[in-house]
PDB file of all heavy atoms in Angstrom:
ATOM      1  N   GLY A 411      26.500 145.297  40.927  1.00  0.00           N
ATOM      2  CA  GLY A 411      25.268 145.678  40.157  1.00  0.00           C
ATOM      3  C   GLY A 411      25.479 146.896  39.307  1.00  0.00           C
ATOM      4  O   GLY A 411      24.622 147.240  38.502  1.00  0.00           O
ATOM      5  N   LEU A 412      26.541 147.621  39.522  1.00  0.00           N
ATOM      6  CA  LEU A 412      26.825 148.864  38.722  1.00  0.00           C
ATOM      7  C   LEU A 412      27.791 148.736  37.587  1.00  0.00           C
ATOM      8  O   LEU A 412      27.982 149.627  36.830  1.00  0.00           O
ATOM      9  CB  LEU A 412      27.296 149.942  39.639  1.00  0.00           C
ATOM     10  CG  LEU A 412      26.269 150.468  40.728  1.00  0.00           C
ATOM     11  CD1 LEU A 412      26.911 151.626  41.560  1.00  0.00           C
ATOM     12  CD2 LEU A 412      25.005 150.931  40.074  1.00  0.00           C
ATOM     13  N   GLY A 413      28.364 147.535  37.484  1.00  0.00           N
ATOM     14  CA  GLY A 413      29.324 147.327  36.402  1.00  0.00           C
ATOM     15  C   GLY A 413      29.429 145.918  36.089  1.00  0.00           C
ATOM     16  O   GLY A 413      29.047 145.035  36.841  1.00  0.00           O
ATOM     17  N   GLU A 414      30.018 145.554  34.873  1.00  0.00           N
ATOM     18  CA  GLU A 414      30.119 144.177  34.497  1.00  0.00           C
ATOM     19  C   GLU A 414      31.217 143.488  35.329  1.00  0.00           C
ATOM     20  O   GLU A 414      32.285 144.047  35.537  1.00  0.00           O
ATOM     21  CB  GLU A 414      30.484 144.146  32.994  1.00  0.00           C
ATOM     22  CG  GLU A 414      30.362 142.799  32.373  1.00  0.00           C
ATOM     23  CD  GLU A 414      30.460 142.797  30.874  1.00  0.00           C
ATOM     24  OE1 GLU A 414      30.839 143.868  30.367  1.00  0.00           O
ATOM     25  OE2 GLU A 414      30.190 141.830  30.233  1.00  0.00           O
ATOM     26  N   VAL A 415      30.888 142.285  35.752  1.00  0.00           N
ATOM     27  CA  VAL A 415      31.838 141.517  36.487  1.00  0.00           C
ATOM     28  C   VAL A 415      32.194 140.209  35.806  1.00  0.00           C
ATOM     29  O   VAL A 415      31.242 139.557  35.196  1.00  0.00           O
ATOM     30  CB  VAL A 415      31.284 141.148  37.930  1.00  0.00           C
ATOM     31  CG1 VAL A 415      32.205 140.274  38.755  1.00  0.00           C
ATOM     32  CG2 VAL A 415      31.045 142.485  38.716  1.00  0.00           C
ATOM     33  N   PHE A 416      33.433 139.791  35.816  1.00  0.00           N
ATOM     34  CA  PHE A 416      33.856 138.563  35.179  1.00  0.00           C
ATOM     35  C   PHE A 416      34.335 137.586  36.149  1.00  0.00           C
ATOM     36  O   PHE A 416      34.881 137.923  37.173  1.00  0.00           O
ATOM     37  CB  PHE A 416      34.929 138.898  34.098  1.00  0.00           C
ATOM     38  CG  PHE A 416      34.455 139.930  33.054  1.00  0.00           C
ATOM     39  CD1 PHE A 416      34.731 141.324  33.290  1.00  0.00           C
ATOM     40  CD2 PHE A 416      33.753 139.525  31.962  1.00  0.00           C
ATOM     41  CE1 PHE A 416      34.340 142.233  32.332  1.00  0.00           C
ATOM     42  CE2 PHE A 416      33.394 140.466  30.977  1.00  0.00           C
ATOM     43  CZ  PHE A 416      33.626 141.817  31.212  1.00  0.00           C
ATOM     44  N   ILE A 417      34.347 136.284  35.709  1.00  0.00           N
ATOM     45  CA  ILE A 417      34.786 135.209  36.591  1.00  0.00           C
ATOM     46  C   ILE A 417      36.146 134.705  35.997  1.00  0.00           C
ATOM     47  O   ILE A 417      36.233 134.432  34.782  1.00  0.00           O
ATOM     48  CB  ILE A 417      33.810 134.062  36.604  1.00  0.00           C
ATOM     49  CG1 ILE A 417      32.430 134.529  37.103  1.00  0.00           C
ATOM     50  CG2 ILE A 417      34.372 132.986  37.564  1.00  0.00           C
ATOM     51  CD1 ILE A 417      32.385 135.100  38.455  1.00  0.00           C
ATOM     52  N   THR A 418      37.182 134.692  36.795  1.00  0.00           N
ATOM     53  CA  THR A 418      38.521 134.205  36.370  1.00  0.00           C
ATOM     54  C   THR A 418      38.547 132.649  36.442  1.00  0.00           C
ATOM     55  O   THR A 418      37.681 132.089  37.062  1.00  0.00           O
ATOM     56  CB  THR A 418      39.587 134.803  37.218  1.00  0.00           C
ATOM     57  OG1 THR A 418      39.563 134.182  38.537  1.00  0.00           O
ATOM     58  CG2 THR A 418      39.413 136.305  37.396  1.00  0.00           C
ATOM     59  N   PRO A 419      39.503 132.078  35.815  1.00  0.00           N
ATOM     60  CA  PRO A 419      39.644 130.606  35.946  1.00  0.00           C
ATOM     61  C   PRO A 419      39.752 130.053  37.305  1.00  0.00           C
ATOM     62  O   PRO A 419      39.386 128.941  37.635  1.00  0.00           O
ATOM     63  CB  PRO A 419      40.930 130.303  35.096  1.00  0.00           C
ATOM     64  CG  PRO A 419      41.032 131.380  34.197  1.00  0.00           C
ATOM     65  CD  PRO A 419      40.555 132.583  34.885  1.00  0.00           C
ATOM     66  N   GLY A 420      40.189 130.871  38.284  1.00  0.00           N
ATOM     67  CA  GLY A 420      40.329 130.492  39.680  1.00  0.00           C
ATOM     68  C   GLY A 420      39.044 130.737  40.486  1.00  0.00           C
ATOM     69  O   GLY A 420      39.053 130.526  41.664  1.00  0.00           O
ATOM     70  N   GLY A 421      38.058 131.295  39.781  1.00  0.00           N
ATOM     71  CA  GLY A 421      36.775 131.466  40.488  1.00  0.00           C
ATOM     72  C   GLY A 421      36.597 132.883  41.118  1.00  0.00           C
ATOM     73  O   GLY A 421      35.617 133.165  41.755  1.00  0.00           O
ATOM     74  N   GLU A 422      37.574 133.731  40.920  1.00  0.00           N
ATOM     75  CA  GLU A 422      37.504 135.089  41.425  1.00  0.00           C
ATOM     76  C   GLU A 422      36.579 135.959  40.623  1.00  0.00           C
ATOM     77  O   GLU A 422      36.481 135.794  39.371  1.00  0.00           O
ATOM     78  CB  GLU A 422      38.898 135.776  41.386  1.00  0.00           C
ATOM     79  CG  GLU A 422      39.880 135.173  42.457  1.00  0.00           C
ATOM     80  CD  GLU A 422      39.653 135.806  43.795  1.00  0.00           C
ATOM     81  OE1 GLU A 422      39.012 136.876  43.926  1.00  0.00           O
ATOM     82  OE2 GLU A 422      40.154 135.232  44.786  1.00  0.00           O
ATOM     83  N   ARG A 423      35.890 136.854  41.253  1.00  0.00           N
ATOM     84  CA  ARG A 423      35.006 137.813  40.539  1.00  0.00           C
ATOM     85  C   ARG A 423      35.770 139.107  40.405  1.00  0.00           C
ATOM     86  O   ARG A 423      36.261 139.651  41.380  1.00  0.00           O
ATOM     87  CB  ARG A 423      33.711 138.001  41.316  1.00  0.00           C
ATOM     88  CG  ARG A 423      32.788 136.813  41.378  1.00  0.00           C
ATOM     89  CD  ARG A 423      31.662 137.034  42.358  1.00  0.00           C
ATOM     90  NE  ARG A 423      30.790 138.089  41.960  1.00  0.00           N
ATOM     91  CZ  ARG A 423      29.786 138.007  41.091  1.00  0.00           C
ATOM     92  NH1 ARG A 423      29.477 136.855  40.521  1.00  0.00           N
ATOM     93  NH2 ARG A 423      29.028 139.029  40.814  1.00  0.00           N
ATOM     94  N   MET A 424      35.981 139.544  39.110  1.00  0.00           N
ATOM     95  CA  MET A 424      36.755 140.788  38.939  1.00  0.00           C
ATOM     96  C   MET A 424      36.054 141.706  37.960  1.00  0.00           C
ATOM     97  O   MET A 424      35.363 141.286  37.012  1.00  0.00           O
ATOM     98  CB  MET A 424      38.122 140.425  38.332  1.00  0.00           C
ATOM     99  CG  MET A 424      39.043 139.707  39.293  1.00  0.00           C
ATOM    100  SD  MET A 424      40.751 139.689  38.628  1.00  0.00           S
ATOM    101  CE  MET A 424      41.538 138.766  39.926  1.00  0.00           C
ATOM    102  N   THR A 425      36.244 143.006  38.146  1.00  0.00           N
ATOM    103  CA  THR A 425      35.610 144.011  37.282  1.00  0.00           C
ATOM    104  C   THR A 425      36.544 144.042  36.001  1.00  0.00           C
ATOM    105  O   THR A 425      37.729 143.599  36.022  1.00  0.00           O
ATOM    106  CB  THR A 425      35.612 145.366  37.906  1.00  0.00           C
ATOM    107  OG1 THR A 425      36.938 145.797  38.218  1.00  0.00           O
ATOM    108  CG2 THR A 425      34.782 145.328  39.180  1.00  0.00           C
ATOM    109  N   GLY A 426      36.059 144.731  34.980  1.00  0.00           N
ATOM    110  CA  GLY A 426      36.871 144.917  33.786  1.00  0.00           C
ATOM    111  C   GLY A 426      38.109 145.718  34.110  1.00  0.00           C
ATOM    112  O   GLY A 426      39.199 145.474  33.486  1.00  0.00           O
ATOM    113  N   LEU A 427      38.064 146.657  35.019  1.00  0.00           N
ATOM    114  CA  LEU A 427      39.231 147.480  35.403  1.00  0.00           C
ATOM    115  C   LEU A 427      40.311 146.533  35.932  1.00  0.00           C
ATOM    116  O   LEU A 427      41.517 146.723  35.652  1.00  0.00           O
ATOM    117  CB  LEU A 427      38.889 148.489  36.450  1.00  0.00           C
ATOM    118  CG  LEU A 427      38.096 149.707  35.948  1.00  0.00           C
ATOM    119  CD1 LEU A 427      37.918 150.681  37.130  1.00  0.00           C
ATOM    120  CD2 LEU A 427      38.857 150.423  34.835  1.00  0.00           C
TER     121      LEU A 427
END
Side-chain angles (χ1 to χ4, degrees):
L412 293 183
E414 194 170 10
V415 175
F416 302 94
I417 306 298
T418 71
E422 289 279 342
R423 294 170 62 85
M424 291 191 183
T425 63
L427 287 182

